């Protein structure tokens, strides 16, 4: 039975990761077409860094990811603190409402944001689809993930530490910055890295909220695939996979740290 389960687990992991390994391998393939490996080369990666369009799209992706991650981390941390440390009407409903962006299909969220921005532009003349709308769209789902991660960390902390700080004369902000935040920092950092990874990989929400001049790397990959898959797309996909794996591993390591 144990061998059967191990074999089943192996098949599942092959099913999940074999396509990724194929893309990584083809990014080093000298042949421009097909899947026949003719030799090892790095010219596709060199071509990426020499393409001004790719650099522009990379800067757009990085700008969206960093700004949305910063805002969502601040909002998510404060929201998690309020849900854990304070009591107020509707707290239980708000806690369950956090799971809506997590389980909601990306297509539904993307269309909803597009209609919201269209209604706001019709009513107020602002905002037009641009990098700003992409950032706002990413923040809407990033806040939920950051809040859940930070909240799980805060639940592990002993409230007596904060009470002791207040008994010693520390005010609210002093207690937060000198006691609560340092102890919850691994959860905050893990939530921020998870939000950053989600933003780097996101395509659907970006597709519905992006305007002219707001092309990101996932959108560029999608448009390139429609014209035919080239090794340059494989190389770009490999770089995105590597960045995502690095940030996820770093976030997992931070969540494993003990207080």
């Amino acid at each position: 039975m144990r061998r059967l389960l191990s074999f089943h687990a192996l098949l599942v992991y092959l099913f999940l990761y074999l396509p990724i390994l194929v893309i990584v391998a083809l990014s080093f393939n000298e042949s421009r077409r097909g899947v026949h490996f003719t030799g090892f080369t790095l010219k596709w990666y060199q071509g990426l860094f020499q393409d001004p369009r790719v650099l522009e799209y990379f800067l757009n992706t990085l700008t969206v990811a960093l700004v949305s991650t910063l805002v969502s981390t601040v909002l998510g941390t404060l929201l998690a603190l309020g849900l854990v440390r304070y009591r107020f009407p509707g707290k239980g409903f708000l806690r369950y409402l956090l799971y809506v962006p997590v389980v909601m299909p990306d297509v539904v969220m993307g269309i909803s944001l597009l209609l919201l921005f269209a209604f706001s532009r019709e009513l107020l003349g602002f905002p037009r689809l641009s990098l700003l709308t992409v950032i706002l769209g990413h923040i809407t789902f990033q806040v939920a993930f950051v809040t859940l991660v930070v909240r799980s960390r805060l639940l592990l902390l002993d409230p007596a530490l904060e009470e002791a700080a207040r008994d010693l004369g520390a005010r609210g902000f002093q207690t937060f910055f000198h006691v609560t935040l340092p102890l919850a920092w691994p959860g905050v950092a893990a939530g921020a890295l998870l939000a950053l990874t989600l933003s780097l990989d996101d395509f659907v929400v970006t597709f519905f909220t992006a305007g002219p001049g707001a092309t990101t790397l996932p959108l560029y990959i999608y448009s390139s695939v429609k014209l035919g898959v080239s090794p340059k797309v494989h190389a770009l996909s490999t770089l995105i996979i590597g960045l995502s794996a690095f940030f996820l591993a770093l976030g997992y390591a931070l969540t494993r740290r003990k207080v």
Side-chain angles (χ1 to χ4, degrees):
M1 186 64 182
R2 183 176 180 180
R3 292 182 178 179
L4 181 61
L5 292 176
S6 300
F7 180 71
H8 177 265
L10 178 62
L11 291 179
V12 171
Y13 278 106
L14 285 177
F15 177 77
L16 292 175
Y17 292 104
L18 189 59
I20 298 177
L21 296 177
V22 171
I23 290 179
V24 173
L26 291 178
S27 68
F28 299 102
N29 188 11
E30 191 174 6
S31 175
R32 185 176 182 86
R33 300 294 179 184
V35 295
H36 181 65
F37 196 86
T38 59
F40 181 86
T41 183
L42 293 175
K43 63 181 180 180
W44 309 118
Y45 290 92
Q46 296 174 355
L48 280 179
F49 295 109
Q50 295 173 357
D51 191 341
R53 293 185 306 164
V54 174
L55 295 179
E56 177 187 354
Y57 303 153
F58 174 75
L59 289 178
N60 289 341
T61 304
L62 200 60
T63 301
V64 171
L66 292 178
V67 175
S68 62
T69 298
L70 178 62
V71 176
S72 61
T73 301
V74 174
L75 296 178
T77 301
L78 296 177
L79 181 57
L81 182 65
L83 291 174
V84 174
R85 292 291 185 261
Y86 300 97
R87 295 181 180 180
F88 52 88
K91 176 180 176 180
F93 175 74
L94 182 60
R95 185 172 65 248
Y96 288 110
L97 198 63
L98 284 173
Y99 293 94
V100 175
V102 177
V103 301
M104 180 183 296
D106 292 341
V107 175
V108 176
M109 178 168 287
I111 295 176
S112 301
L113 290 170
L114 177 61
L115 294 177
L116 174 63
F117 294 143
F119 177 77
S120 176
R121 186 171 63 253
E122 187 73 21
L123 186 64
L124 304 174
F126 176 84
R128 297 187 178 274
L129 296 182
S130 60
L131 278 181
L132 176 61
T133 54
V134 176
I135 291 173
L136 293 176
H138 284 204
I139 292 174
T140 55
F141 64 83
Q142 285 176 313
V143 169
F145 287 93
V146 173
T147 303
L148 293 175
V149 174
V150 177
R151 178 177 175 271
S152 64
R153 181 68 177 184
L154 290 174
L155 290 173
L156 299 177
L157 303 182
D158 189 359
L161 298 174
E162 299 175 358
E163 296 176 3
R166 287 191 291 266
D167 290 340
L168 293 173
R171 297 182 179 181
F173 282 101
Q174 291 175 325
T175 302
F176 175 75
F177 284 108
H178 293 285
V179 178
T180 306
L181 186 59
L183 293 174
W185 179 249
V188 175
L193 291 174
L194 177 60
L196 181 65
T197 303
L198 292 173
S199 178
L200 290 174
D201 293 343
D202 182 77
F203 167 76
V204 178
V205 174
T206 306
F207 179 80
F208 284 101
T209 57
T215 303
T216 60
L217 289 180
L219 294 181
Y220 171 70
I221 292 176
Y222 172 74
S223 61
S224 300
V225 168
K226 292 191 298 184
L227 301 176
V229 181
S230 67
K232 185 182 292 187
V233 175
H234 295 155
L236 184 58
S237 302
T238 302
L239 292 177
I240 295 178
I241 291 171
L243 284 175
S244 302
F246 171 76
F247 288 125
L248 283 176
L250 187 58
Y252 176 78
L254 289 174
T255 55
R256 297 291 296 177
R257 289 184 58 185
K258 298 182 179 180
V259 178

